[in-house]
Protein backbone atom coordinates (compact mmCIF):
# COMPACT_ATOMS: atom_id res chain seq x y z
CA UNK A 1 0.00 0.00 0.00
CA UNK A 2 1.43 3.40 -1.03
CA UNK A 3 -0.32 5.52 1.64
CA UNK A 4 -2.05 4.67 4.90
CA UNK A 5 -3.73 7.21 7.17
CA UNK A 6 -4.67 5.39 10.36
CA UNK A 7 -7.20 6.53 12.97
CA UNK A 8 -6.74 10.21 12.12
CA UNK A 9 -8.51 12.49 14.59
CA UNK A 10 -8.47 16.28 14.48
CA UNK A 11 -10.18 18.47 17.06
CA UNK A 12 -10.50 22.24 17.34
CA UNK A 13 -11.63 22.87 20.89
CA UNK A 14 -15.01 21.16 21.16
CA UNK A 15 -15.30 20.65 17.39
CA UNK A 16 -14.18 17.30 15.97
CA UNK A 17 -13.39 17.68 12.26
CA UNK A 18 -12.04 14.13 11.78
CA UNK A 19 -12.80 11.21 14.07
CA UNK A 20 -10.70 8.02 13.79
CA UNK A 21 -10.54 8.22 9.99
CA UNK A 22 -8.81 5.40 8.08
CA UNK A 23 -7.78 6.07 4.47
CA UNK A 24 -5.57 4.11 2.08
CA UNK A 25 -4.21 4.81 -1.40
CA UNK A 26 -2.78 2.29 -3.86
CA UNK A 27 -0.18 3.05 -6.48
CA UNK A 28 -1.69 4.19 -9.78
CA UNK A 29 -5.26 4.54 -8.51
CA UNK A 30 -7.75 7.40 -8.40
CA UNK A 31 -9.34 7.43 -4.94
CA UNK A 32 -12.19 9.90 -4.48
CA UNK A 33 -13.14 11.33 -1.09
CA UNK A 34 -16.76 12.54 -1.09
CA UNK A 35 -18.96 14.10 1.56
CA UNK A 36 -21.05 17.12 2.39
CA UNK A 37 -19.52 20.51 3.16
CA UNK A 38 -17.96 20.26 6.60
CA UNK A 39 -17.69 16.45 6.46
CA UNK A 40 -13.93 16.67 7.07
CA UNK A 41 -12.58 16.01 3.54
CA UNK A 42 -10.34 19.06 3.25
CA UNK A 43 -9.16 18.84 6.88
CA UNK A 44 -7.99 15.28 6.26
CA UNK A 45 -6.04 16.35 3.19
CA UNK A 46 -4.57 19.41 4.94
CA UNK A 47 -3.19 16.97 7.52
CA UNK A 48 -1.70 14.82 4.75
CA UNK A 49 -0.12 17.90 3.15
CA UNK A 50 1.39 19.16 6.41
CA UNK A 51 -0.87 22.21 6.70
CA UNK A 52 -2.47 20.85 9.88
CA UNK A 53 -1.22 18.49 12.58
CA UNK A 54 -3.46 15.58 13.63
CA UNK A 55 -4.61 15.43 17.24
CA UNK A 56 -3.95 11.69 17.05
CA UNK A 57 -3.34 9.00 14.46
CA UNK A 58 -0.52 8.00 12.10
CA UNK A 59 0.50 8.39 8.46
CA UNK A 60 2.57 5.77 6.65
CA UNK A 61 4.20 6.03 3.23
CA UNK A 62 5.06 2.58 1.82
CA UNK A 63 4.79 1.19 5.34
CA UNK A 64 7.12 3.71 6.99
CA UNK A 65 5.64 6.15 9.49
CA UNK A 66 5.87 9.77 8.31
CA UNK A 67 5.32 13.12 10.01
CA UNK A 68 4.73 16.32 8.07
CA UNK A 69 5.31 19.57 9.95
CA UNK A 70 4.80 21.67 6.81
CA UNK A 71 3.87 21.38 3.12
CA UNK A 72 7.62 21.32 2.37
CA UNK A 73 7.89 18.03 4.33
CA UNK A 74 4.98 16.59 2.34
CA UNK A 75 6.48 17.70 -0.98
CA UNK A 76 9.81 16.11 -0.04
CA UNK A 77 7.90 12.86 0.57
CA UNK A 78 6.34 13.02 -2.91
CA UNK A 79 2.95 14.55 -2.05
CA UNK A 80 1.56 17.50 -4.03
CA UNK A 81 -1.72 19.35 -3.59
CA UNK A 82 -3.71 21.45 -6.05
CA UNK A 83 -5.94 23.69 -3.95
CA UNK A 84 -9.49 24.72 -4.85
CA UNK A 85 -8.35 28.35 -5.09
CA UNK A 86 -5.27 28.48 -7.27
CA UNK A 87 -2.01 29.80 -5.83
CA UNK A 88 -0.34 31.25 -8.93
CA UNK A 89 1.49 34.55 -9.38
CA UNK A 90 -0.59 36.19 -12.10
CA UNK A 91 2.24 38.44 -13.30
CA UNK A 92 4.62 35.48 -13.71
CA UNK A 93 4.70 33.33 -16.83
CA UNK A 94 3.38 29.77 -16.80
CA UNK A 95 6.96 28.44 -16.84
CA UNK A 96 8.00 30.69 -13.94
CA UNK A 97 5.04 29.48 -11.86
CA UNK A 98 5.78 25.81 -12.58
CA UNK A 99 9.48 25.88 -11.60
CA UNK A 100 9.20 28.30 -8.67
CA UNK A 101 11.08 26.92 -5.67
CA UNK A 102 13.24 24.69 -7.89
CA UNK A 103 14.31 27.14 -10.59
CA UNK A 104 16.98 26.18 -13.15
CA UNK A 105 19.94 28.54 -13.07
CA UNK A 106 22.76 29.46 -15.38
CA UNK A 107 25.61 30.73 -13.29
CA UNK A 108 23.96 32.99 -10.73
CA UNK A 109 20.93 33.80 -12.91
CA UNK A 110 17.53 32.25 -13.56
CA UNK A 111 17.67 30.22 -16.79
CA UNK A 112 14.41 31.19 -18.45
CA UNK A 113 14.99 29.07 -21.56
CA UNK A 114 15.68 25.97 -19.47
CA UNK A 115 12.49 26.60 -17.48
CA UNK A 116 10.46 26.72 -20.70
CA UNK A 117 12.13 23.50 -21.90
CA UNK A 118 11.29 21.75 -18.61
CA UNK A 119 7.65 22.78 -18.80
CA UNK A 120 7.37 21.69 -22.44
CA UNK A 121 8.88 18.32 -21.50
CA UNK A 122 6.44 17.85 -18.61
CA UNK A 123 3.57 18.92 -20.86
CA UNK A 124 4.49 16.30 -23.50
CA UNK A 125 5.15 13.54 -20.97
CA UNK A 126 1.81 13.86 -19.18
CA UNK A 127 -0.36 15.19 -22.02
CA UNK A 128 -1.19 18.42 -20.17
CA UNK A 129 -1.05 21.31 -22.68
CA UNK A 130 0.03 24.79 -21.54
CA UNK A 131 1.66 27.89 -23.04
CA UNK A 132 4.92 28.26 -21.04
CA UNK A 133 5.65 31.88 -21.98
CA UNK A 134 2.14 33.23 -21.38
CA UNK A 135 1.36 35.20 -18.20
CA UNK A 136 -0.60 33.05 -15.75
CA UNK A 137 -3.14 35.87 -15.21
CA UNK A 138 -4.01 35.77 -18.91
CA UNK A 139 -4.85 32.05 -18.84
CA UNK A 140 -8.35 30.58 -18.51
CA UNK A 141 -9.23 28.89 -15.22
CA UNK A 142 -8.82 25.51 -16.89
CA UNK A 143 -5.34 26.45 -18.10
CA UNK A 144 -4.41 27.79 -14.63
CA UNK A 145 -5.38 24.47 -13.14
CA UNK A 146 -3.16 22.63 -15.62
CA UNK A 147 -0.31 24.89 -14.52
CA UNK A 148 -0.93 23.93 -10.88
CA UNK A 149 -0.84 20.22 -11.80
CA UNK A 150 2.40 20.65 -13.74
CA UNK A 151 3.83 22.52 -10.74
CA UNK A 152 3.32 19.57 -8.39
CA UNK A 153 4.63 17.18 -11.06
CA UNK A 154 7.77 19.34 -11.38
CA UNK A 155 8.17 19.04 -7.60
CA UNK A 156 8.28 15.25 -8.04
CA UNK A 157 4.85 14.37 -6.66
CA UNK A 158 3.84 10.71 -6.78
CA UNK A 159 0.65 11.40 -4.81
CA UNK A 160 -1.46 14.28 -6.14
CA UNK A 161 -4.35 15.71 -4.12
CA UNK A 162 -6.97 17.59 -6.15
CA UNK A 163 -9.37 19.66 -3.98
CA UNK A 164 -12.70 20.30 -5.77
CA UNK A 165 -10.87 20.56 -9.12
CA UNK A 166 -13.93 21.03 -11.34
CA UNK A 167 -15.70 23.71 -9.25
CA UNK A 168 -14.78 26.58 -11.60
CA UNK A 169 -14.37 24.76 -14.92
CA UNK A 170 -16.52 24.74 -18.06
CA UNK A 171 -18.05 21.39 -19.19
CA UNK A 172 -15.33 21.01 -21.85
CA UNK A 173 -12.58 21.77 -19.33
CA UNK A 174 -14.08 19.21 -16.94
CA UNK A 175 -13.87 16.50 -19.63
CA UNK A 176 -10.27 17.44 -20.37
CA UNK A 177 -9.34 17.34 -16.67
CA UNK A 178 -10.96 13.94 -16.07
CA UNK A 179 -9.07 12.57 -19.09
CA UNK A 180 -5.82 14.04 -17.70
CA UNK A 181 -6.48 12.40 -14.31
CA UNK A 182 -6.89 8.99 -15.95
CA UNK A 183 -3.70 9.52 -17.97
CA UNK A 184 -1.74 10.43 -14.83
CA UNK A 185 -3.01 7.30 -13.06
CA UNK A 186 -2.10 5.24 -16.11
CA UNK A 187 1.45 6.59 -15.85
CA UNK A 188 1.75 5.47 -12.25
CA UNK A 189 0.69 8.58 -10.35
CA UNK A 190 -1.75 8.13 -7.46
CA UNK A 191 -4.59 10.64 -7.29
CA UNK A 192 -6.77 11.69 -4.36
CA UNK A 193 -9.85 13.51 -5.66
CA UNK A 194 -11.91 15.60 -3.24
CA UNK A 195 -15.28 16.43 -4.77
CA UNK A 196 -19.04 16.45 -4.29
CA UNK A 197 -19.88 15.79 -7.98
CA UNK A 198 -20.83 12.15 -7.90
CA UNK A 199 -21.25 11.65 -11.66
CA UNK A 200 -17.63 12.74 -12.11
CA UNK A 201 -16.59 10.36 -9.33
CA UNK A 202 -18.31 7.48 -11.11
CA UNK A 203 -16.56 8.41 -14.33
CA UNK A 204 -12.98 8.66 -13.08
CA UNK A 205 -12.48 7.02 -9.65
CA UNK A 206 -11.34 3.48 -8.84
CA UNK A 207 -12.34 3.60 -5.18
CA UNK A 208 -14.46 5.98 -3.12
CA UNK A 209 -14.32 6.89 0.57
CA UNK A 210 -17.42 8.61 1.96
CA UNK A 211 -17.22 10.94 4.96
CA UNK A 212 -20.12 12.25 7.03
CA UNK A 213 -19.69 14.31 10.18
CA UNK A 214 -15.94 13.69 10.18
CA UNK A 215 -16.28 9.89 10.11
CA UNK A 216 -16.02 7.27 7.36
CA UNK A 217 -19.42 5.88 6.38
CA UNK A 218 -18.18 3.73 3.52
CA UNK A 219 -15.21 2.66 1.39
CA UNK A 220 -16.42 1.30 -1.93
CA UNK A 221 -15.08 0.01 -5.23
CA UNK A 222 -16.64 2.07 -8.03
CA UNK A 223 -17.82 -1.05 -9.86
CA UNK A 224 -19.85 -2.09 -6.82
CA UNK A 225 -21.73 1.16 -6.10
CA UNK A 226 -23.83 3.87 -7.75
CA UNK A 227 -24.76 7.54 -7.32
CA UNK A 228 -27.83 6.72 -5.23
CA UNK A 229 -25.87 4.69 -2.67
CA UNK A 230 -23.13 7.33 -2.45
CA UNK A 231 -25.76 10.05 -1.92
CA UNK A 232 -27.37 8.06 0.89
CA UNK A 233 -24.02 7.48 2.60
CA UNK A 234 -23.17 11.20 2.30
CA UNK A 235 -26.39 12.64 3.71
CA UNK A 236 -27.69 9.74 5.77
CA UNK A 237 -31.05 9.52 3.99
CA UNK A 238 -32.71 9.11 0.61
CA UNK A 239 -32.84 12.30 -1.47
CA UNK A 240 -36.31 13.58 -2.35
CA UNK A 241 -37.48 13.92 -5.93
CA UNK A 242 -38.06 17.49 -7.10
CA UNK A 243 -41.59 18.25 -8.21
CA UNK A 244 -41.39 20.69 -11.11
CA UNK A 245 -44.94 21.16 -12.36
CA UNK A 246 -45.80 23.20 -15.43
CA UNK A 247 -45.72 26.93 -14.64
CA UNK A 248 -48.59 29.38 -14.77
CA UNK A 249 -46.61 32.52 -15.63
CA UNK A 250 -48.03 35.95 -14.93
CA UNK A 251 -46.90 39.43 -15.95
CA UNK A 252 -43.30 39.96 -17.02
CA UNK A 253 -41.12 40.87 -14.04
CA UNK A 254 -38.00 41.46 -16.16
CA UNK A 255 -37.97 42.88 -19.69
CA UNK A 256 -34.69 43.10 -21.58
CA UNK A 257 -34.80 44.73 -25.03
CA UNK A 258 -31.91 44.81 -27.51
CA UNK A 259 -29.32 45.03 -24.76
CA UNK A 260 -25.80 45.62 -26.06
CA UNK A 261 -22.70 45.60 -23.86
CA UNK A 262 -19.23 46.15 -25.26
CA UNK A 263 -16.08 44.54 -23.90
CA UNK A 264 -12.77 46.26 -23.20
CA UNK A 265 -11.81 45.88 -26.86
CA UNK A 266 -14.96 47.67 -28.03
CA UNK A 267 -16.57 44.54 -29.46
CA UNK A 268 -20.03 43.46 -28.26
CA UNK A 269 -19.94 40.80 -25.54
CA UNK A 270 -23.73 41.00 -25.16
CA UNK A 271 -25.11 41.53 -28.64
CA UNK A 272 -28.64 43.01 -28.80
CA UNK A 273 -30.15 40.45 -26.44
CA UNK A 274 -33.92 40.49 -25.79
CA UNK A 275 -35.95 38.26 -23.46
CA UNK A 276 -38.60 38.24 -20.71
CA UNK A 277 -38.88 36.55 -17.31
CA UNK A 278 -42.45 36.30 -16.03
CA UNK A 279 -43.77 35.98 -12.50
CA UNK A 280 -44.03 32.31 -11.57
CA UNK A 281 -41.37 30.95 -13.92
CA UNK A 282 -37.68 30.10 -13.98
CA UNK A 283 -35.82 31.04 -17.14
CA UNK A 284 -32.44 29.33 -17.43
CA UNK A 285 -29.46 30.58 -19.39
CA UNK A 286 -27.04 27.93 -20.62
CA UNK A 287 -23.80 28.39 -22.50
CA UNK A 288 -20.09 27.71 -22.36
CA UNK A 289 -18.39 30.20 -20.03
CA UNK A 290 -17.25 33.34 -21.82
CA UNK A 291 -20.19 33.73 -24.16
CA UNK A 292 -21.60 36.86 -22.51
CA UNK A 293 -23.44 35.43 -19.51
CA UNK A 294 -21.29 37.22 -16.92
CA UNK A 295 -21.51 40.58 -18.67
CA UNK A 296 -25.28 40.18 -19.06
CA UNK A 297 -25.72 39.55 -15.33
CA UNK A 298 -23.47 42.47 -14.40
CA UNK A 299 -25.43 44.79 -16.69
CA UNK A 300 -28.78 43.70 -15.22
CA UNK A 301 -27.46 44.31 -11.68
CA UNK A 302 -25.95 47.73 -12.38
CA UNK A 303 -22.37 46.49 -12.09
CA UNK A 304 -21.58 47.17 -15.75
CA UNK A 305 -22.91 49.84 -18.12
CA UNK A 306 -24.95 48.86 -21.15
CA UNK A 307 -24.08 50.66 -24.38
CA UNK A 308 -27.55 50.26 -25.88
CA UNK A 309 -30.99 48.81 -25.13
CA UNK A 310 -33.24 48.84 -22.07
CA UNK A 311 -33.83 46.88 -18.89
CA UNK A 312 -37.16 47.13 -17.07
CA UNK A 313 -37.78 45.53 -13.67
CA UNK A 314 -41.31 45.24 -12.31
CA UNK A 315 -42.44 48.01 -14.68
CA UNK A 316 -39.60 50.37 -13.79
CA UNK A 317 -36.81 51.38 -16.18
CA UNK A 318 -33.55 50.46 -14.42
CA UNK A 319 -31.18 50.69 -17.39
CA UNK A 320 -27.73 51.68 -16.13
CA UNK A 321 -29.07 52.58 -12.68
CA UNK A 322 -26.94 52.14 -9.57
CA UNK A 323 -27.02 48.67 -7.93
CA UNK A 324 -28.85 50.05 -4.88
CA UNK A 325 -31.59 51.56 -7.05
CA UNK A 326 -32.04 48.27 -8.92
CA UNK A 327 -32.26 46.32 -5.65
CA UNK A 328 -34.94 48.73 -4.41
CA UNK A 329 -36.88 48.00 -7.61
CA UNK A 330 -37.17 44.37 -6.50
CA UNK A 331 -33.93 42.55 -7.34
CA UNK A 332 -32.02 39.98 -5.31
CA UNK A 333 -28.82 38.55 -6.72
CA UNK A 334 -26.86 35.36 -6.01
CA UNK A 335 -23.56 36.25 -7.73
CA UNK A 336 -21.55 33.79 -9.82
CA UNK A 337 -18.34 34.51 -7.89
CA UNK A 338 -18.97 34.43 -4.16
CA UNK A 339 -15.58 35.95 -3.34
CA UNK A 340 -15.44 38.78 -5.88
CA UNK A 341 -19.08 39.87 -5.82
CA UNK A 342 -20.83 38.14 -2.93
CA UNK A 343 -18.87 38.57 0.29
CA UNK A 344 -16.24 40.51 2.21
CA UNK A 345 -14.11 37.64 3.43
CA UNK A 346 -12.47 39.52 6.32
CA UNK A 347 -15.84 40.57 7.80
CA UNK A 348 -18.18 38.52 10.02
CA UNK A 349 -21.14 36.43 8.89
CA UNK A 350 -23.43 39.04 10.42
CA UNK A 351 -21.82 41.82 8.39
CA UNK A 352 -21.95 39.71 5.24
CA UNK A 353 -25.61 39.03 5.91
CA UNK A 354 -26.23 42.78 5.63
CA UNK A 355 -24.52 43.24 2.27
CA UNK A 356 -26.80 44.89 -0.27
CA UNK A 357 -29.76 44.92 2.10
CA UNK A 358 -28.61 47.10 5.01
CA UNK A 359 -31.46 49.59 4.52
CA UNK A 360 -33.94 46.89 5.54
CA UNK A 361 -32.20 46.54 8.90
CA UNK A 362 -32.02 50.18 9.88
CA UNK A 363 -34.36 52.67 11.52
CA UNK A 364 -33.72 56.38 11.13
CA UNK A 365 -30.31 55.55 9.75
CA UNK A 366 -29.30 53.40 12.76
CA UNK A 367 -28.63 49.67 12.26
CA UNK A 368 -30.79 47.34 14.37
CA UNK A 369 -28.02 45.04 15.56
CA UNK A 370 -30.17 42.63 17.56
CA UNK A 371 -32.53 42.11 14.63
CA UNK A 372 -29.60 41.59 12.22
CA UNK A 373 -27.98 39.04 14.53
CA UNK A 374 -31.24 37.09 14.84
CA UNK A 375 -31.89 37.11 11.09
CA UNK A 376 -28.43 35.82 10.21
CA UNK A 377 -28.64 33.19 12.96
CA UNK A 378 -31.95 31.99 11.48
CA UNK A 379 -30.44 31.76 7.96
CA UNK A 380 -27.45 29.82 9.25
CA UNK A 381 -29.74 27.32 10.96
CA UNK A 382 -32.21 26.98 8.07
CA UNK A 383 -29.54 26.45 5.41
CA UNK A 384 -27.23 24.31 7.53
CA UNK A 385 -24.26 26.69 7.37
CA UNK A 386 -21.52 25.01 9.41
CA UNK A 387 -19.90 27.67 11.61
CA UNK A 388 -18.91 28.10 15.25
CA UNK A 389 -20.56 31.53 15.46
CA UNK A 390 -22.24 34.18 13.31
CA UNK A 391 -19.41 36.44 14.50
CA UNK A 392 -16.90 34.22 12.72
CA UNK A 393 -15.15 35.76 9.73
CA UNK A 394 -16.39 34.67 6.31
CA UNK A 395 -12.90 33.60 5.24
CA UNK A 396 -12.98 30.79 7.82
CA UNK A 397 -15.96 29.10 6.15
CA UNK A 398 -15.56 26.48 3.45
CA UNK A 399 -16.57 27.64 -0.02
CA UNK A 400 -19.76 25.60 0.09
CA UNK A 401 -20.86 26.98 3.46
CA UNK A 402 -20.17 30.53 2.31
CA UNK A 403 -22.29 29.84 -0.78
CA UNK A 404 -25.17 28.67 1.43
CA UNK A 405 -24.98 31.90 3.45
CA UNK A 406 -25.20 34.02 0.27
CA UNK A 407 -28.15 32.01 -1.08
CA UNK A 408 -29.92 32.31 2.28
CA UNK A 409 -29.32 36.07 2.39
CA UNK A 410 -30.70 36.69 -1.09
CA UNK A 411 -33.72 34.38 -0.83
CA UNK A 412 -34.63 35.90 2.55
CA UNK A 413 -35.30 39.27 0.88
CA UNK A 414 -38.45 37.81 -0.77
CA UNK A 415 -38.01 40.11 -3.78
CA UNK A 416 -40.23 39.75 -6.89
CA UNK A 417 -37.18 38.95 -9.05
CA UNK A 418 -34.05 36.90 -8.39
CA UNK A 419 -30.93 36.37 -10.44
CA UNK A 420 -29.44 33.05 -9.38
CA UNK A 421 -25.98 32.72 -10.96
CA UNK A 422 -24.23 29.43 -10.19
CA UNK A 423 -26.44 29.06 -7.07
CA UNK A 424 -25.04 25.65 -6.05
CA UNK A 425 -21.38 26.15 -7.01
CA UNK A 426 -19.23 24.25 -4.50
CA UNK A 427 -22.08 22.96 -2.34
CA UNK A 428 -22.67 19.32 -1.47
CA UNK A 429 -25.49 17.16 -2.76
CA UNK A 430 -27.73 17.63 0.30
CA UNK A 431 -27.41 21.42 0.20
CA UNK A 432 -27.97 21.36 -3.57
CA UNK A 433 -31.24 19.50 -3.07
CA UNK A 434 -32.33 22.06 -0.46
CA UNK A 435 -31.38 25.10 -2.56
CA UNK A 436 -33.17 23.70 -5.62
CA UNK A 437 -36.32 23.22 -3.54
CA UNK A 438 -36.09 26.81 -2.24
CA UNK A 439 -35.83 28.14 -5.80
CA UNK A 440 -38.83 26.09 -6.94
CA UNK A 441 -40.80 27.24 -3.90
CA UNK A 442 -40.06 30.88 -4.79
CA UNK A 443 -41.27 30.24 -8.33
CA UNK A 444 -44.45 28.52 -7.03
CA UNK A 445 -45.14 31.58 -4.86
CA UNK A 446 -45.05 33.82 -7.94
CA UNK A 447 -41.41 34.89 -7.94
CA UNK A 448 -39.51 35.36 -11.21
CA UNK A 449 -36.06 33.76 -11.44
CA UNK A 450 -33.29 34.09 -13.99
CA UNK A 451 -31.03 31.07 -13.50
CA UNK A 452 -27.53 31.14 -14.96
CA UNK A 453 -25.51 27.96 -14.49
CA UNK A 454 -22.62 26.13 -16.09
CA UNK A 455 -24.18 22.89 -14.84
CA UNK A 456 -26.44 21.67 -17.65
CA UNK A 457 -28.18 19.22 -15.33
CA UNK A 458 -29.13 22.12 -13.03
CA UNK A 459 -30.49 24.25 -15.87
CA UNK A 460 -32.53 21.32 -17.19
CA UNK A 461 -33.82 20.31 -13.75
CA UNK A 462 -35.12 23.75 -12.74
CA UNK A 463 -35.93 25.79 -15.86
CA UNK A 464 -39.31 26.29 -17.49
CA UNK A 465 -37.65 27.89 -20.49
CA UNK A 466 -33.98 27.65 -21.49
CA UNK A 467 -32.12 30.35 -23.40
CA UNK A 468 -28.76 29.37 -24.85
CA UNK A 469 -26.07 32.04 -25.28
CA UNK A 470 -23.39 31.79 -27.94
CA UNK A 471 -20.94 34.57 -28.78
CA UNK A 472 -23.04 37.17 -26.95
CA UNK A 473 -26.34 36.33 -28.64
CA UNK A 474 -29.34 34.20 -27.76
CA UNK A 475 -28.68 31.21 -30.03
CA UNK A 476 -32.04 29.62 -29.30
CA UNK A 477 -34.86 29.01 -26.81
CA UNK A 478 -36.05 25.58 -25.66
CA UNK A 479 -38.92 24.32 -23.51
CA UNK A 480 -37.36 23.39 -20.20
CA UNK A 481 -39.73 20.46 -19.73
CA UNK A 482 -38.84 18.86 -23.07
CA UNK A 483 -35.27 20.00 -23.82
CA UNK A 484 -32.57 17.36 -24.17
CA UNK A 485 -28.89 17.69 -23.30
CA UNK A 486 -28.07 17.06 -26.97
CA UNK A 487 -30.29 19.92 -28.16
CA UNK A 488 -28.81 22.36 -25.63
CA UNK A 489 -25.23 21.26 -26.35
CA UNK A 490 -25.78 21.81 -30.09
CA UNK A 491 -26.85 25.41 -29.49
CA UNK A 492 -24.00 25.95 -27.03
CA UNK A 493 -21.56 24.98 -29.77
CA UNK A 494 -23.10 27.42 -32.27
CA UNK A 495 -25.34 24.95 -34.07
CA UNK A 496 -28.98 25.41 -34.98
CA UNK A 497 -32.02 23.96 -33.26
CA UNK A 498 -33.93 21.36 -35.26
CA UNK A 499 -37.02 23.53 -34.81
CA UNK A 500 -35.45 26.51 -36.60
Amino acid sequence: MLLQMEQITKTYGELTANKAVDFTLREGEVHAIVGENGAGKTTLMRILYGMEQPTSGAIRIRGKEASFGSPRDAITSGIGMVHQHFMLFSSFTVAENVVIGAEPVKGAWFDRRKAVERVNELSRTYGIPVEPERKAGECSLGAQQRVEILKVLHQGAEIIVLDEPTAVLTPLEVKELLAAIRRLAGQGKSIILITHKLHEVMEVADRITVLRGGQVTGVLEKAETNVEELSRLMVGRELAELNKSRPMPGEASLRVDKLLVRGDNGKPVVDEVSFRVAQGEIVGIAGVSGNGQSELIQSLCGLRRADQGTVALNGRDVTNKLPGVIREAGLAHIPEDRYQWGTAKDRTLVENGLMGHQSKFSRSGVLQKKRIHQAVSDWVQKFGVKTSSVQEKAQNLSGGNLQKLIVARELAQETPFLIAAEPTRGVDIGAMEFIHKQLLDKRTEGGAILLVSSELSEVMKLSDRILVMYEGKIAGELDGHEATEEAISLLMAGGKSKHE
Side-chain angles (χ1 to χ4, degrees):
M1 194 65 69
L2 176 59
L3 168 69
Q4 294 165 284
M5 301 183 76
E6 301 171 344
Q7 295 291 291
I8 299 295
T9 295
K10 179 63 177 177
T11 59
Y12 301 92
E14 296 181 1
L15 173 68
T16 301
N18 293 134
K19 184 176 182 181
V21 172
D22 288 326
F23 175 81
T24 60
L25 182 67
R26 302 165 183 155
E27 292 197 41
E29 83 164 337
V30 180
H31 194 147
I33 302 178
V34 300
E36 295 193 280
N37 296 123
K41 309 183 296 293
T42 299
T43 301
L44 186 67
M45 289 302 100
R46 285 172 65 88
I47 290 171
L48 177 62
Y49 195 55
M51 298 174 74
E52 300 271 1
Q53 301 305 306
T55 305
S56 62
I59 299 173
R60 301 182 194 278
I61 305 290
R62 292 191 170 91
K64 290 184 64 176
E65 188 161 347
S67 177
F68 306 134
S70 70
R72 176 54 57 190
D73 294 340
I75 291 166
T76 302
S77 297
I79 299 169
M81 185 168 180
V82 177
H83 300 270
Q84 185 175 353
H85 305 293
F86 306 145
M87 298 185 176
L88 300 176
F89 293 98
S90 59
S91 61
F92 285 16
T93 66
V94 165
E96 289 166 344
N97 272 285
V98 170
V99 303
I100 196 165
E103 300 90 340
V105 294
K106 192 173 185 179
W109 305 98
F110 173 55
D111 192 339
R112 197 175 306 279
R113 190 177 75 173
K114 187 67 174 176
V116 170
E117 288 174 1
R118 281 191 188 177
V119 172
N120 279 328
E121 184 181 351
L122 283 169
S123 179
R124 286 192 299 270
T125 300
Y126 294 105
I128 300 174
V130 294
E131 299 175 65
E133 297 183 79
R134 191 174 187 184
K135 290 278 197 292
E138 297 172 357
C139 296
S140 69
L141 291 173
Q144 289 182 33
Q145 187 172 68
R146 293 195 293 273
V147 176
E148 290 276 21
I149 293 171
L150 287 178
K151 186 164 71 173
V152 300
L153 289 168
H154 183 260
Q155 292 167 347
E158 294 298 321
I159 296 170
I160 301 173
V161 181
L162 300 172
D163 187 2
E164 298 286 359
T166 65
V168 295
L169 302 187
T170 67
L172 177 60
E173 288 171 333
V174 169
K175 287 183 179 179
E176 291 172 347
L177 175 66
L178 297 183
I181 289 172
R182 288 305 331 169
R183 279 197 304 274
L184 287 167
Q187 291 170 294
K189 302 297 181 183
S190 302
I191 314 294
I192 301 173
L193 176 64
I194 304 173
T195 185
H196 64 277
K197 297 184 178 181
L198 298 184
H199 291 287
E200 293 171 10
V201 167
M202 294 301 293
E203 184 174 339
V204 76
D206 299 303
R207 282 194 299 155
I208 303 138
T209 290
V210 185
L211 293 179
R212 186 171 76 242
Q215 295 179 277
V216 175
T217 57
V219 181
L220 309 106
E221 298 285 341
K222 181 185 69 175
E224 298 172 359
T225 189
N226 53 45
V227 169
E228 289 72 28
E229 181 181 19
L230 293 174
S231 300
R232 188 169 61 253
L233 289 169
M234 281 172 63
V235 301
R237 58 179 173 80
E238 297 287 347
L239 294 178
E241 285 290 322
L242 280 179
N243 180 24
K244 187 180 83 170
S245 57
R246 281 275 179 182
M248 298 182 65
E251 294 292 317
S253 184
L254 176 75
R255 295 176 182 269
V256 178
D257 289 296
K258 294 187 176 180
L259 192 70
L260 186 142
V261 180
R262 298 188 189 278
D264 296 336
N265 60 4
K267 294 181 180 179
V269 286
V270 178
D271 198 352
E272 296 199 0
V273 164
S274 299
F275 63 94
R276 306 281 187 275
V277 183
Q279 298 165 3
E281 75 167 346
I282 297 176
V283 174
I285 293 185
V288 176
S289 179
N291 276 273
Q293 304 98 306
S294 297
E295 292 83 359
L296 172 63
I297 296 167
Q298 290 164 20
S299 181
L300 297 180
C301 295
L303 298 171
R304 191 180 187 111
R305 284 191 66 79
D307 294 280
Q308 177 183 309
T310 60
V311 178
L313 184 59
N314 302 316
R316 182 175 170 184
D317 185 352
V318 294
T319 314
N320 290 332
K321 300 295 185 186
L322 292 172
V325 173
I326 299 175
R327 280 189 177 272
E328 287 173 7
L331 168 80
H333 174 211
I334 300 167
E336 61 180 330
D337 187 326
R338 54 179 166 258
Y339 295 105
Q340 183 174 3
W341 303 107
T343 55
K345 64 181 182 180
D346 60 344
R347 310 310 296 177
T348 68
L349 271 59
V350 168
E351 290 168 312
N352 275 281
L354 276 178
M355 283 180 61
H357 305 287
Q358 53 268 34
S359 62
K360 297 182 180 180
F361 291 97
S362 64
R363 181 178 296 167
S364 302
V366 179
L367 290 174
Q368 299 172 289
K369 293 184 178 180
K370 192 171 181 180
R371 186 169 155 237
I372 297 164
H373 190 283
Q374 186 60 55
V376 177
S377 297
D378 290 345
W379 302 343
V380 163
Q381 184 176 5
K382 181 178 178 181
F383 280 75
V385 179
K386 290 183 172 65
T387 179
S388 58
S389 164
V390 293
Q391 297 299 337
E392 186 173 9
K393 288 188 176 180
Q395 62 191 5
N396 295 334
L397 266 61
S398 69
N401 279 301
L402 192 55
Q403 184 72 17
K404 287 190 277 189
L405 177 68
I406 294 168
V407 173
R409 177 186 71 200
E410 299 304 316
L411 283 172
Q413 309 312 314
E414 299 182 350
T415 56
F417 179 67
L418 170 71
I419 294 177
E422 307 292 355
T424 59
R425 175 169 279 172
V427 306
D428 54 66
I429 194 166
M432 189 180 299
E433 172 200 43
F434 181 77
I435 290 170
H436 285 173
K437 184 179 183 303
Q438 297 301 308
L439 292 174
L440 285 175
D441 285 350
K442 182 175 180 67
R443 169 246 209 193
T444 301
E445 293 162 6
I449 299 174
L450 180 66
L451 169 70
V452 184
S453 176
S454 56
E455 298 285 349
L456 257 188
S457 58
E458 183 166 65
V459 173
M460 294 175 68
K461 184 183 291 186
L462 297 177
S463 303
D464 300 303
R465 290 186 292 123
I466 300 171
L467 308 176
V468 182
M469 287 193 75
Y470 178 72
E471 294 186 345
K473 296 179 180 287
I474 301 292
E477 178 179 326
L478 299 166
D479 186 316
H481 298 260
E482 299 173 2
T484 63
E485 188 170 326
E486 292 73 19
I488 299 171
S489 298
L490 179 66
L491 290 169
M492 286 171 67
K496 296 290 184 184
S497 169
K498 292 178 181 179
H499 302 294
E500 291 186 46

